[in-house]
Amino acid sequence: RGERQRCLKREWTCNPMTIFNVFTLMGGIAMFLYGMDLMGKALEQTAGSKLQGILSTMTSSPIRALLLGVAVTAVIQSSGATTVMAVGFVNSGLMELHQAIGVIMGANIGTTVTGWLLSLSGLEGESFITKMLNPNAWSPILGFIGIWLYMVGKDRKRGVGKILLGFAILMAGMNTMSNAMSPLADEPWFMNLFLSFSNPVLGVIAGAVLTAVLQSSSAAVGILQALTSTGAVTYSAAVPIIMGQNIGTTVTALISSAGANKNAKRTAFVHLYFNVIGTIIFLCGFYGLHALIRFSFFNATANTFGIAMVHTIFNIVTTAILLPFNRLLEKLAIMTVPDSPADKKQENSLLDDRLLATPSVAVARAMLTGGDMAEICRTSLLQAMSTTHKWNDAIADEVERKEDAVDHYEDVLGTYLVKLSAKHLSTEDNRTINTLLHTIGDFERVSDHAVNLIKTAEEIRDKSIQFSEEALGDLGVLEAAVQDIVNRTVDAFQKGDVYAAGKIEPLEQVVDGLVREVKTRHIARLQAGVCTIEYGFVLDDLLTNYERIADHCSNIAVAMIEVAADKFDTHEYLATVKHGGSVKFEQRYEKYRGRYTFPPETYAEMQPVSAPCNAEEDA
């Protein structure tokens, strides 16, 4: 009679395991993994470039690195993704190896959040509060809200919808797995299988293999929690399996480090050694204490809450023990991946393909790289301008080297942005990519003009051309305006400041006017016999380069403004601001024009410009 009541209460446990249960189990695993992947990627995308800012500004403090590793992994729900990002940052030179160690330790703790969320599904009780704490009660409504936001929302709301939808699918998959595996409770072979996992070595191997296949320790722990519904999982079997799962998750980082520089490979090995050493220490301590005091729960049936607890205790205890020895872990990794002559020539990668797995982080990294490229262009141009007044061989060589570096930046960025464009990106990330695609070519041209200025300066040196005081005064005003527009453009680009970009075009108009006025004043000086014809040829080269540089600054600013407005029509924008009667444009133009004025002429009264002088100037 008792058996019949048990069957009536839990009818599904009285049915034998069939092929249909296997099909259901496979479907449950698929939903669970897809839900976890969807939720993690949506969380990561919603967090956006903040992940880049968090991870790439690590300090030398291991505690800070640890806490940030916990925070980032708790957000994206994947210790593997955090570790791969750390490998990518180390490979790019954004993070030192000792900083990555703290992040890795924190990632192991942060990944336990998923287990705690899933453990709530095991809550039982008749009270309203208890039922509401169980995710099975409110995950369906979250799924409904999520699909509604996903279908009708945009940008951030759509991302929130994917997070809710992913969680609902994850919980549905968890329940499906539990129901499909429940008949295994009556299968002797299944019970014997988990009894064999009580052997620590077999349990660790089983957990490591499962996690290596799934590429996610959170998913592996979730499946183990689902298995607790069979009643076959005891703590003696669960503990070594969980230890193995933490070892298995290191496979992701080891694979991602293939082809990376030596420090990136060392980062992956630190992750491996941390979990292997932690597993050995924890298992020795656990079984040693059990031999002394005999844990009462050792052979008890585990539940979802207990699995989450073991997972968390392991990671916290291991981190507490090994954090003070982080430098020893670093030395161990260096011994595993020693320095070699080939490694000494290896440079950090500007943009690491490993970051493409986290598109929002990759976009932020690409923008930082674009900012570095812009800074090189600025310093190169300022250095080149200085040589037109006083020649310096070292500065000239430096400008040439920087031009080669900028060319390399443009090639690498262009290729990387094409790869990024194929990823699923937020609207903001798409705008960032479009801005970069429309501006890196103009920055590269600015660098080319810096080289042109070097060639002009070399001609001035070789021909011993002397400028008159009046000519130097005119060039000083024009060069100040050119430096101003370049500085404003680079600053606006690096900060993503569209408002500041709106101030570039009026200044570009001022530069164009200054160029025309310098030409006019030079012709007048030629007529007066103050300047030489040789200076006229050199001056024309300088003016052409300065005017082109201002044009490229204008192109960069217009690209920023138009992309931010989700359109791109340069001619329409310029026509609107120049001829549309914009009061703000006119005010800015007059302000800049008043700032850059030429000194009064000091030479004899000008004569009308003759035809031969015009011919020389045209030449």
Side-chain angles (χ1 to χ4, degrees), residues 32 36 108-109 111-123 174 177-178 181 194 197 203 207 210-211 216-246 282 286 297-316:
F32 180 80
M36 180 167 289
N108 277 35
I109 296 176
T111 194
T112 62
V113 172
T114 306
W116 284 108
L117 286 174
L118 296 177
S119 69
L120 294 175
S121 62
L123 290 176
M174 181 81 170
M177 285 191 297
S178 298
M181 290 185 291
F194 265 90
F197 289 152
L210 175 63
T211 309
S216 171
S217 62
S218 296
V221 169
I223 291 176
L224 182 62
Q225 287 177 307
L227 280 169
T228 59
S229 64
T230 64
V233 182
T234 62
Y235 285 103
S236 61
V239 169
I241 291 176
I242 292 173
M243 305 301 101
Q245 289 171 341
N246 281 273
F282 192 88
F286 178 76
F297 62 85
F298 189 77
N299 291 314
T301 301
N303 54 31
T304 56
F305 179 82
I307 297 297
M309 180 65 74
V310 171
H311 191 209
T312 303
I313 290 175
F314 165 73
N315 284 294
I316 291 178

Side-chain angles (χ1 to χ4, degrees), residues 51-121:
L51 295 175
Q52 162 81 13
I54 290 174
L55 283 175
S56 62
T57 56
M58 292 291 107
T59 66
S60 57
S61 169
I63 298 297
R64 179 173 171 79
L66 171 71
L67 294 176
L68 290 174
V70 172
V72 171
T73 308
V75 168
I76 65 176
Q77 294 289 289
S78 174
S79 60
T82 303
T83 306
V84 169
M85 278 191 280
V87 171
F89 287 147
V90 171
N91 193 50
S92 300
L94 284 175
M95 187 184 294
E96 298 294 333
L97 176 59
H98 66 87
Q99 294 172 316
I101 294 175
V103 175
I104 290 170
M105 292 181 178
N108 277 35
I109 296 176
T111 194
T112 62
V113 172
T114 306
W116 284 108
L117 286 174
L118 296 177
S119 69
L120 294 175
S121 62

